Amino acid sequence: MSPWLHAQPNRLSRRIRLAEAIRYGLRHGQGLSEFLSDGRLEMDINTVEREIRPVAVTRKPALFAGSEGGGENGAIAVTLNRTAILNSVHPQARLTDVREQLVSGKVSNQGLASLLPWVWRDAKRAGLAA
């Protein structure tokens, strides 16, 4: 941010809306600069808020998970499902295939990265195209 902009809040009364807006801009200047220089960044957080809404809606029922372990298992299940959905993968199809691969021994510890939702999705798409 320019030195001129940094000097302006001192020249204005604290309660003037313009001074408040300038201070807000200065506080968030780094984020604005990153947004302007990196085209991958979103202007708003609506996508994230939409994705966490199901988690927030189930928060109260999750209080009755039965135990701390039950709550942790529930959190893992929600994370697996939402990550799959974010990567345009049907959660049940992926989990079924991943379990089959793990149980049959088709995947070793070194090959676990192939089970990540985005890698799994691309491999399935490549297999369908072949």
Side-chain angles (χ1 to χ4, degrees):
M1 296 278 167
S2 73
W4 177 86
L5 194 58
H6 282 282
Q8 297 315 303
N10 298 331
R11 297 181 63 209
L12 301 169
S13 170
R14 276 189 94 55
R15 295 182 186 191
I16 294 178
R17 285 188 168 282
L18 178 60
E20 291 174 7
I22 292 173
R23 282 193 300 277
Y24 179 86
L26 291 172
R27 275 195 314 273
H28 299 285
Q30 181 181 357
L32 177 61
S33 295
E34 289 178 22
F35 169 75
L36 293 173
S37 64
D38 188 344
R40 298 173 297 170
L41 298 178
E42 298 276 341
M43 176 62 101
D44 58 34
I45 59 170
N46 288 340
T47 306
V48 174
E49 289 178 350
R50 239 188 341 268
E51 290 306 319
I52 65 171
R53 185 170 292 127
V55 176
V57 169
T58 59
R59 186 178 301 135
K60 195 164 188 175
L63 292 173
F64 304 102
S67 67
E68 187 176 334
E72 289 176 4
N73 289 337
I76 291 169
V78 168
T79 300
L80 290 171
N81 284 338
R82 298 310 298 172
T83 303
I85 291 168
L86 274 172
N87 286 282
S88 303
V89 173
H90 188 273
Q92 185 176 358
R94 177 179 168 266
L95 289 175
T96 301
D97 185 56
V98 166
R99 272 193 306 244
E100 288 173 1
Q101 289 186 47
L102 290 171
V103 169
S104 68
K106 292 180 183 175
V107 178
S108 65
N109 283 343
Q110 291 77 24
L112 290 177
S114 68
L115 303 179
L116 294 170
W118 50 92
V119 178
W120 183 88
R121 174 198 64 211
D122 294 345
K124 291 297 174 189
R125 286 182 181 162
L128 292 175

